[in-house]
Amino acid sequence: MKSPARVLLAGVATLATVGALVGCSAAGGDDSSSGKVELRVATFPPGADAAAYEAFATQEKQFEKLNPDIDIIGVEYEWEGPTFAVQLAGGSLPDVFTVPFTDAKTLLENKQLMDVTDEMNDLGYTDSFNPIILDAVTGDDGHIYGFPRQAYANALTYNRELFEAAGLDPDAPPTTWDEVREDAKKIADATGKAGYSQMAINNTGGWQLTTATAARGGRTQTDNEDGSATSTIDNDATKAALQFLHDLKWEDNSFGSKIDLDWGTINQEFAAGNIGMYTTGSDIYTALVRDFGLDPDVYGMTVIPVEGEDGGPLGGGDIAVMSPTIDDKTKAAGVKWIDWYYMQKLLNEDAAVQDAKALADSDQAVGTPVLPVLSRELYEESLTWIEPYINVPRDQMKPFTDNIWDQTPVGEPKKSTQEVYALLDEVVQTVLTDENADIDALLAQAQTDAQAILDK
């Protein structure tokens, strides 16, 4: 799951500073006044800083110079589970947009993604993808319906300044859940801030509960050979994850008062210095600085604590896709944009350097840790290509970058993922609002309700 939030707003104040970016219409097509193909593409979430748009404007000019018959129009965009389906059905998304891996299968089943099999084969890098990742955009018909463009592992993000205020060493973050709890209490006692917090609404509570379950060696869903799935929410790992939240909130008073946070609001709170630790995707640094004004000096990231033989960080990522309703000219233009904007910097040194330079010249993040959608070797080679432009504090991320390759990422549940996440939101919220919540009963009911969803 790509870190989720709101969807599709035209940010008038921000866009006024970058004349090339305008609001979104239902679809692209020929610009009758110029004869160009008008292509509306997803850019940044509402609230991104002006520098981000300056970098995009530079990249837009570079692309249009190479493709003078295409007019790129950037559209502010964020994905949010509860509202995305409405936006898609209403035709109000850009021509090119991104969706998390978890949404891809449902969109494929509903025939809501453009088939790009021939185009990807013509570009020549179909076989370069990690086959597990490529499976996320492959339909039952064997066709490909999108371009995997980024992957991540869930990690533990922490505030180095709050660690120091609590007498903790920010270069030696916690490595077990017990240590996370201990450090969270120290932070809360010393600073009055939330030592640890977690998302709980808009499907993100379910996402992060699933993350915590996988880290403890459990799974919330298993796949069956006949294509069906079995809910396994009621397990010891999920129970331990909920008990952990309960103890932080009700015994240690270290969780903080805000329990209605989602991807956007928890990032806002963290950037404001109000949260000591939380779990989220390893790619979050870029958004924290670009969209939420984080001071880079306070940022720290480490691997998520894992337990048991099957414990691992929940992985995720997103794919660049198009709606099947756009015309052939817009589709061709969209493939050119996806290849140039998203893919070539993963494959080609010149493209990687050009992209990194454009971002660095506008003070945008370069070098944020991700997981490779291609090979680890190519990913690590690409870091050498862009080394002169890397400007993120990777030394503050060493606890993650030094150890992530020793962990085995766990894939997100494949069936009815967002619906089950929404169901689990309620479980997380109950534990955080009711000190006497019956965790066993909540899990038993959630497993029954989830199975009903899976059996539809």
Side-chain angles (χ1 to χ4, degrees):
M1 171 176 178
K2 171 86 172 53
S3 299
R6 301 172 304 279
V7 163
L8 204 61
L9 294 173
V12 177
T14 301
L15 298 186
T17 68
V18 185
L21 302 181
V22 301
C24 176
S25 67
D30 289 336
D31 181 339
S32 58
S33 62
S34 67
K36 296 182 178 181
V37 176
E38 189 177 85
L39 185 70
R40 300 181 180 275
V41 303
T43 58
F44 312 113
D49 61 24
Y53 289 101
E54 291 169 7
F56 182 85
T58 297
Q59 293 168 312
E60 177 186 0
K61 290 177 183 177
Q62 292 170 344
F63 177 82
E64 290 179 344
K65 184 176 181 179
L66 295 171
N67 300 275
D69 58 334
I70 301 174
D71 182 17
I72 295 295
I73 298 177
V75 180
E76 287 190 341
Y77 169 85
E78 279 187 293
W79 182 93
E80 184 179 63
T83 57
F84 175 79
V86 175
Q87 298 285 352
L88 182 60
S92 59
L93 293 175
D95 302 316
V96 177
F97 53 99
T98 59
V99 295
F101 290 165
T102 54
D103 234 35
K105 291 299 185 183
T106 299
L107 295 173
L108 288 176
E109 291 172 1
N110 296 335
K111 303 185 185 304
Q112 291 175 302
L113 296 180
M114 176 69 77
D115 187 333
V116 294
T117 309
D118 292 341
E119 288 77 9
M120 187 181 286
N121 287 336
D122 289 344
L123 288 167
Y125 49 71
T126 304
D127 293 338
S128 298
F129 284 104
N130 180 324
I132 296 175
I133 288 178
L134 191 64
D135 178 67
V137 293
T138 303
D140 292 338
D141 57 4
H143 288 214
I144 299 169
Y145 291 85
F147 293 75
R149 65 119 191 164
Q150 182 172 288
Y152 64 85
N154 268 271
L156 182 67
T157 291
Y158 62 96
N159 184 308
R160 294 173 60 88
E161 190 173 82
L162 293 182
F163 264 57
E164 290 177 345
L168 300 169
D169 182 356
D171 293 323
T175 59
T176 68
W177 289 108
D178 286 343
E179 290 177 357
V180 171
R181 182 181 175 184
E182 292 168 5
D183 289 355
K185 181 165 176 54
K186 290 177 181 177
I187 291 170
D189 290 346
T191 68
K193 307 290 187 178
Y196 183 94
S197 193
Q198 184 166 307
M199 304 173 215
I201 65 172
N202 292 336
N203 300 18
T204 62
W207 172 41
Q208 285 305 304
L209 180 58
T210 304
T211 294
T213 297
R216 291 169 170 83
R219 302 292 184 268
T220 59
Q221 186 181 120
T222 59
D223 300 324
N224 301 320
E225 292 183 1
D226 62 0
S228 64
T230 300
S231 175
T232 56
I233 289 169
D234 189 1
N235 64 72
D236 290 342
T238 309
K239 181 177 180 178
L242 291 171
Q243 189 66 50
F244 172 77
L245 294 179
H246 173 277
D247 294 347
L248 288 170
K249 175 68 176 175
W250 301 110
E251 294 186 11
D252 301 345
N253 196 30
S254 59
F255 188 87
S257 61
K258 294 192 175 182
I259 52 138
D260 58 346
L261 300 175
D262 62 7
W263 184 86
T265 51
I266 202 168
N267 291 334
Q268 185 176 28
E269 286 294 306
F270 181 81
N274 296 326
I275 294 174
M277 294 175 281
Y278 72 114
T279 55
T280 190
S282 60
D283 58 346
I284 196 60
Y285 175 85
T286 297
L288 284 171
V289 174
R290 182 191 67 201
D291 307 332
F292 300 98
L294 176 76
D295 176 0
D297 289 342
V298 309
Y299 184 78
M301 180 172 68
T302 185
V303 289
I304 197 168
V306 297
E307 300 173 352
E309 293 183 3
D310 295 325
L314 195 72
D318 61 33
I319 56 178
V321 297
M322 295 176 288
S323 167
T325 61
I326 62 177
D327 60 37
D328 289 342
K329 286 185 177 180
T330 306
K331 176 186 179 182
V335 170
K336 285 184 177 181
W337 172 257
I338 292 171
D339 176 59
W340 185 88
Y341 186 68
Y342 291 119
M343 304 309 304
Q344 283 303 313
K345 62 186 177 184
L346 306 179
L347 296 155
N348 179 277
E349 181 174 1
D350 290 342
V353 170
Q354 179 176 268
D355 177 76
K357 185 178 187 305
L359 293 173
D361 286 349
S362 298
D363 294 324
Q364 297 301 293
V366 178
T368 298
V370 295
L371 295 182
V373 296
L374 303 171
S375 68
R376 175 181 174 182
E377 291 74 22
L378 187 56
Y379 169 67
E380 292 181 335
E381 183 181 12
S382 73
L383 291 177
T384 67
W385 298 340
I386 64 173
E387 185 174 3
Y389 304 100
I390 291 177
N391 55 17
V392 305
R394 288 183 68 92
D395 57 324
Q396 295 166 210
M397 307 173 187
K398 282 179 65 64
F400 177 84
T401 57
D402 285 354
N403 296 296
I404 185 56
W405 305 112
D406 295 329
Q407 295 187 342
T408 302
V410 176
E412 289 184 82
K414 294 180 180 179
K415 190 167 183 180
S416 303
T417 312
Q418 298 302 329
E419 291 178 87
V420 175
Y421 282 172
L423 175 70
L424 292 176
D425 276 0
E426 299 178 13
V427 176
V428 173
Q429 292 161 20
T430 299
V431 170
L432 293 175
T433 56
D434 180 1
E435 182 176 1
N436 299 312
D438 186 337
I439 292 176
D440 288 332
L442 288 170
L443 289 178
Q445 187 62 53
Q447 179 159 300
T448 299
D449 293 344
Q451 192 62 54
I453 294 172
L454 297 175
D455 289 341
K456 286 182 180 178

